[in-house]
Coordinates of all heavy atoms in Angstrom, one line a residue:
E111 N -7.4 -22.8 10.7 CA -6.6 -23.9 11.2 C -6.5 -25.1 10.2 O -5.4 -25.7 10.0 CB -7.2 -24.5 12.5 CG -7.1 -23.5 13.6 CD -7.8 -23.9 14.9 OE1 -8.5 -24.9 14.9 OE2 -7.5 -23.3 16.0
K112 N -7.5 -25.3 9.5 CA -7.5 -26.3 8.4 C -6.8 -25.9 7.2 O -6.0 -26.6 6.6 CB -9.0 -26.7 8.0 CG -9.1 -27.8 6.9 CD -10.5 -28.1 6.6 CE -10.7 -29.1 5.5 NZ -12.1 -29.3 5.1
Y113 N -7.0 -24.6 6.8 CA -6.4 -24.0 5.6 C -5.3 -23.1 6.0 O -5.3 -22.6 7.1 CB -7.4 -23.3 4.7 CG -8.6 -24.2 4.3 CD1 -9.9 -24.0 4.9 CD2 -8.5 -25.1 3.3 CE1 -11.0 -24.8 4.5 CE2 -9.6 -25.9 2.9 CZ -10.8 -25.7 3.5 OH -11.9 -26.5 3.1
F114 N -4.4 -22.8 5.0 CA -3.5 -21.6 5.2 C -4.2 -20.4 4.5 O -4.3 -20.4 3.3 CB -2.2 -21.9 4.5 CG -1.1 -20.8 4.8 CD1 -0.7 -20.7 6.1 CD2 -0.7 -20.0 3.9 CE1 0.3 -19.7 6.4 CE2 0.2 -19.0 4.1 CZ 0.7 -18.8 5.4
V115 N -4.7 -19.5 5.3 CA -5.5 -18.4 4.8 C -4.6 -17.2 4.8 O -3.9 -16.9 5.8 CB -6.7 -18.1 5.7 CG1 -7.5 -17.0 5.2 CG2 -7.6 -19.4 5.8
V116 N -4.6 -16.4 3.7 CA -3.8 -15.2 3.5 C -4.7 -14.1 3.0 O -5.6 -14.3 2.2 CB -2.7 -15.4 2.4 CG1 -1.8 -14.2 2.4 CG2 -1.9 -16.7 2.7
C117 N -4.4 -12.9 3.5 CA -5.1 -11.7 3.0 C -4.1 -10.6 3.1 O -3.5 -10.3 4.1 CB -6.3 -11.3 3.8 SG -7.2 -9.8 3.3
A118 N -3.8 -9.9 1.9 CA -2.8 -8.9 1.9 C -3.5 -7.5 1.8 O -4.5 -7.4 1.1 CB -1.9 -9.1 0.7
N119 N -3.0 -6.5 2.5 CA -3.5 -5.2 2.5 C -3.2 -4.5 1.2 O -2.0 -4.5 0.7 CB -3.0 -4.4 3.7 CG -3.6 -3.0 3.8 OD1 -2.8 -2.1 4.1 ND2 -4.9 -2.9 3.7
M120 N -4.2 -3.8 0.6 CA -4.0 -3.2 -0.7 C -3.0 -2.0 -0.6 O -3.0 -1.3 0.4 CB -5.3 -2.6 -1.2 CG -6.3 -3.6 -1.7 SD -7.7 -2.9 -2.6 CE -8.4 -1.8 -1.3
L121 N -2.2 -1.8 -1.6 CA -1.4 -0.6 -1.7 C -2.4 0.6 -1.6 O -3.5 0.6 -2.2 CB -0.6 -0.5 -3.0 CG 0.5 -1.5 -3.3 CD1 1.2 -1.2 -4.6 CD2 1.4 -1.6 -2.1
G122 N -1.9 1.7 -1.0 CA -2.8 2.9 -0.8 C -3.6 2.9 0.4 O -4.1 3.9 0.8
S123 N -3.8 1.7 1.1 CA -4.6 1.6 2.3 C -3.7 2.1 3.5 O -2.5 1.9 3.5 CB -5.0 0.2 2.5 OG -5.5 0.0 3.8
P124 N -4.4 2.7 4.5 CA -3.7 3.1 5.7 C -3.4 2.0 6.7 O -2.9 2.3 7.8 CB -4.6 4.2 6.3 CG -6.0 3.7 5.9 CD -5.8 3.0 4.6
Y125 N -3.6 0.8 6.4 CA -3.5 -0.3 7.3 C -2.1 -1.1 7.2 O -2.1 -2.3 7.4 CB -4.7 -1.3 7.2 CG -5.9 -0.7 7.7 CD1 -7.0 -0.5 6.8 CD2 -6.1 -0.3 9.0 CE1 -8.2 0.1 7.2 CE2 -7.3 0.3 9.4 CZ -8.3 0.5 8.6 OH -9.5 1.0 9.0
G126 N -1.1 -0.4 6.8 CA 0.2 -1.0 6.9 C 0.9 -1.1 5.5 O 2.2 -1.4 5.5
S127 N 0.2 -1.0 4.4 CA 0.9 -1.0 3.1 C 1.3 0.4 2.7 O 0.7 1.4 3.1 CB 0.0 -1.7 2.1 OG -0.2 -3.1 2.4
S128 N 2.2 0.4 1.7 CA 2.7 1.7 1.2 C 1.6 2.5 0.6 O 0.7 1.9 -0.2 CB 3.8 1.5 0.2 OG 5.0 1.0 0.9
G129 N 1.5 3.8 0.8 CA 0.5 4.6 0.2 C 0.8 6.1 0.5 O 1.8 6.4 1.1
P130 N -0.2 6.9 0.2 CA 0.0 8.4 0.5 C 0.2 8.8 1.9 O 0.7 9.8 2.2 CB -1.2 9.0 -0.1 CG -2.3 7.9 -0.1 CD -1.5 6.7 -0.3
S131 N -0.3 7.9 2.9 CA -0.2 8.3 4.3 C 1.1 7.7 4.9 O 1.3 7.9 6.1 CB -1.4 7.8 5.0 OG -1.6 6.4 5.0
T132 N 1.9 6.9 4.2 CA 3.1 6.4 4.7 C 4.3 7.4 4.6 O 4.1 8.4 3.8 CB 3.6 5.1 4.1 OG1 3.6 5.2 2.6 CG2 2.6 4.0 4.4
I133 N 5.3 7.2 5.3 CA 6.4 8.2 5.4 C 7.3 8.1 4.2 O 7.8 7.1 3.9 CB 7.2 8.1 6.7 CG1 6.3 8.3 7.9 CG2 8.4 9.1 6.7 CD1 5.7 9.6 8.0
N134 N 7.5 9.3 3.6 CA 8.4 9.4 2.4 C 9.8 9.5 3.1 O 10.1 10.5 3.8 CB 8.1 10.6 1.6 CG 9.0 10.8 0.4 OD1 10.1 10.2 0.3 ND2 8.6 11.6 -0.6
P135 N 10.7 8.6 2.8 CA 12.1 8.7 3.4 C 12.9 9.9 3.0 O 13.8 10.3 3.7 CB 12.7 7.4 3.0 CG 12.0 7.0 1.7 CD 10.6 7.4 2.0
N136 N 12.5 10.5 1.9 CA 13.2 11.7 1.5 C 12.8 13.0 2.2 O 13.6 13.9 2.2 CB 13.0 11.9 0.0 CG 13.6 10.7 -0.8 OD1 14.7 10.2 -0.5 ND2 12.9 10.3 -1.9
T137 N 11.6 12.9 2.8 CA 11.2 14.2 3.5 C 10.9 13.9 4.9 O 10.7 14.9 5.7 CB 9.9 14.7 2.8 OG1 8.8 13.7 2.9 CG2 10.1 14.9 1.3
A138 N 10.8 12.7 5.4 CA 10.4 12.3 6.7 C 9.0 12.7 7.0 O 8.6 12.9 8.2 CB 11.4 12.9 7.8
K139 N 8.2 13.0 6.0 CA 6.8 13.3 6.2 C 5.9 12.4 5.3 O 6.5 11.7 4.4 CB 6.5 14.8 5.7 CG 7.2 15.8 6.5 CD 7.0 17.2 6.0 CE 7.7 18.3 6.8 NZ 7.4 19.6 6.3
P140 N 4.6 12.3 5.5 CA 3.8 11.4 4.6 C 4.0 11.9 3.1 O 4.2 13.0 2.8 CB 2.4 11.7 5.1 CG 2.5 12.1 6.5 CD 3.8 12.9 6.6
Y141 N 3.8 10.9 2.3 CA 4.0 11.2 0.8 C 2.9 12.2 0.4 O 3.1 13.0 -0.5 CB 3.8 9.9 0.0 CG 5.0 9.0 -0.1 CD1 5.2 7.9 0.7 CD2 6.0 9.2 -1.1 CE1 6.3 7.1 0.6 CE2 7.1 8.4 -1.2 CZ 7.2 7.3 -0.4 OH 8.3 6.5 -0.5
Y142 N 1.7 12.1 0.9 CA 0.5 12.8 0.4 C 0.4 12.6 -1.1 O 0.4 11.4 -1.6 CB 0.6 14.3 0.7 CG 0.6 14.5 2.2 CD1 1.7 15.1 2.9 CD2 -0.6 14.3 3.0 CE1 1.6 15.3 4.3 CE2 -0.6 14.5 4.3 CZ 0.5 15.1 5.0 OH 0.4 15.3 6.3
F143 N 0.4 13.7 -1.9 CA 0.2 13.5 -3.4 C 1.5 13.2 -4.1 O 1.5 13.2 -5.4 CB -0.5 14.8 -3.9 CG -1.8 15.0 -3.3 CD1 -2.1 15.9 -2.4 CD2 -2.9 14.1 -3.7 CE1 -3.3 16.1 -1.8 CE2 -4.2 14.3 -3.1 CZ -4.4 15.3 -2.2
D144 N 2.6 13.1 -3.4 CA 3.9 12.7 -4.1 C 3.9 11.2 -4.3 O 4.8 10.7 -5.0 CB 5.1 13.1 -3.3 CG 5.3 14.6 -3.3 OD1 4.9 15.3 -4.3 OD2 5.9 15.1 -2.3
F145 N 3.0 10.5 -3.7 CA 3.0 9.0 -4.0 C 2.4 8.7 -5.4 O 1.5 9.4 -5.8 CB 2.1 8.3 -2.9 CG 2.3 6.8 -2.8 CD1 3.3 6.4 -2.0 CD2 1.5 5.9 -3.5 CE1 3.6 5.0 -1.9 CE2 1.8 4.6 -3.4 CZ 2.8 4.1 -2.6
P146 N 3.0 7.8 -6.1 CA 2.5 7.5 -7.4 C 1.0 7.0 -7.4 O 0.6 6.4 -6.5 CB 3.4 6.4 -7.9 CG 4.7 6.5 -7.1 CD 4.2 7.0 -5.8
L147 N 0.3 7.3 -8.5 CA -1.0 6.8 -8.6 C -1.0 5.3 -8.7 O -0.1 4.7 -9.3 CB -1.7 7.4 -9.9 CG -2.1 8.9 -9.7 CD1 -2.7 9.4 -11.1 CD2 -3.2 9.0 -8.7
I148 N -2.0 4.6 -8.1 CA -2.0 3.2 -8.0 C -3.1 2.6 -8.9 O -4.3 3.1 -8.9 CB -2.3 2.8 -6.5 CG1 -1.2 3.4 -5.6 CG2 -2.4 1.3 -6.4 CD1 -1.6 3.4 -4.1
T149 N -2.8 1.5 -9.6 CA -3.8 0.8 -10.4 C -4.1 -0.5 -9.7 O -3.3 -1.0 -8.9 CB -3.4 0.6 -11.8 OG1 -2.2 -0.3 -11.8 CG2 -2.9 1.9 -12.5
V150 N -5.2 -1.1 -10.2 CA -5.5 -2.5 -9.7 C -4.3 -3.5 -10.0 O -4.0 -4.3 -9.2 CB -6.8 -3.0 -10.3 CG1 -7.0 -4.5 -10.0 CG2 -8.0 -2.2 -9.9
R151 N -3.7 -3.3 -11.2 CA -2.6 -4.1 -11.5 C -1.4 -4.0 -10.6 O -0.7 -4.9 -10.3 CB -2.2 -3.9 -13.0 CG -3.3 -4.4 -14.0 CD -2.9 -4.2 -15.4 NE -4.0 -4.5 -16.3 CZ -4.0 -4.4 -17.6 NH1 -2.8 -4.1 -18.2 NH2 -5.1 -4.7 -18.3
D152 N -1.2 -2.7 -10.1 CA -0.1 -2.5 -9.1 C -0.4 -3.3 -7.8 O 0.4 -3.9 -7.2 CB 0.0 -1.0 -8.8 CG 0.5 -0.2 -10.0 OD1 1.3 -0.7 -10.8 OD2 0.1 1.0 -10.1
I153 N -1.7 -3.2 -7.4 CA -2.1 -3.9 -6.2 C -1.9 -5.4 -6.3 O -1.3 -6.0 -5.4 CB -3.6 -3.6 -5.9 CG1 -3.8 -2.1 -5.6 CG2 -4.1 -4.5 -4.7 CD1 -5.2 -1.7 -5.5
V154 N -2.2 -5.9 -7.5 CA -2.0 -7.4 -7.7 C -0.6 -7.7 -7.7 O -0.1 -8.7 -7.1 CB -2.8 -7.8 -9.0 CG1 -2.4 -9.3 -9.3 CG2 -4.3 -7.7 -8.8
R155 N 0.2 -6.9 -8.4 CA 1.7 -7.2 -8.5 C 2.3 -7.2 -7.1 O 3.2 -8.0 -6.8 CB 2.4 -6.2 -9.4 CG 2.1 -6.4 -10.9 CD 2.6 -5.2 -11.7 NE 4.0 -4.9 -11.4 CZ 4.3 -3.6 -11.1 NH1 3.5 -2.6 -11.0 NH2 5.6 -3.4 -10.8
A156 N 1.9 -6.2 -6.3 CA 2.4 -6.2 -4.9 C 2.0 -7.4 -4.1 O 2.8 -8.0 -3.3 CB 1.9 -4.9 -4.2

């Protein structure tokens, strides 16, 4: 209430951010291993 607190979900996590368990729009199925590998820098950029 005093501060504006923010926490973003990491890429690759199954809690709402894009990752291997999210749906690939090209297949209508989870990406699985078709999702690009993720680095810490990717997470920060997102």
Side-chain angles (χ1 to χ4, degrees):
E111 294 177 344
K112 177 181 178 181
Y113 302 107
F114 186 70
V115 181
V116 187
C117 180
N119 185 224
M120 292 191 295
L121 293 187
S123 169
Y125 291 116
S127 293
S128 294
S131 62
T132 54
I133 299 299
N134 183 340
N136 297 320
T137 64
K139 297 179 180 180
Y141 279 98
Y142 297 114
F143 298 105
D144 288 334
F145 199 83
L147 287 174
I148 301 164
T149 67
V150 172
R151 294 183 188 181
D152 293 327
I153 294 169
V154 172
R155 287 171 48 236

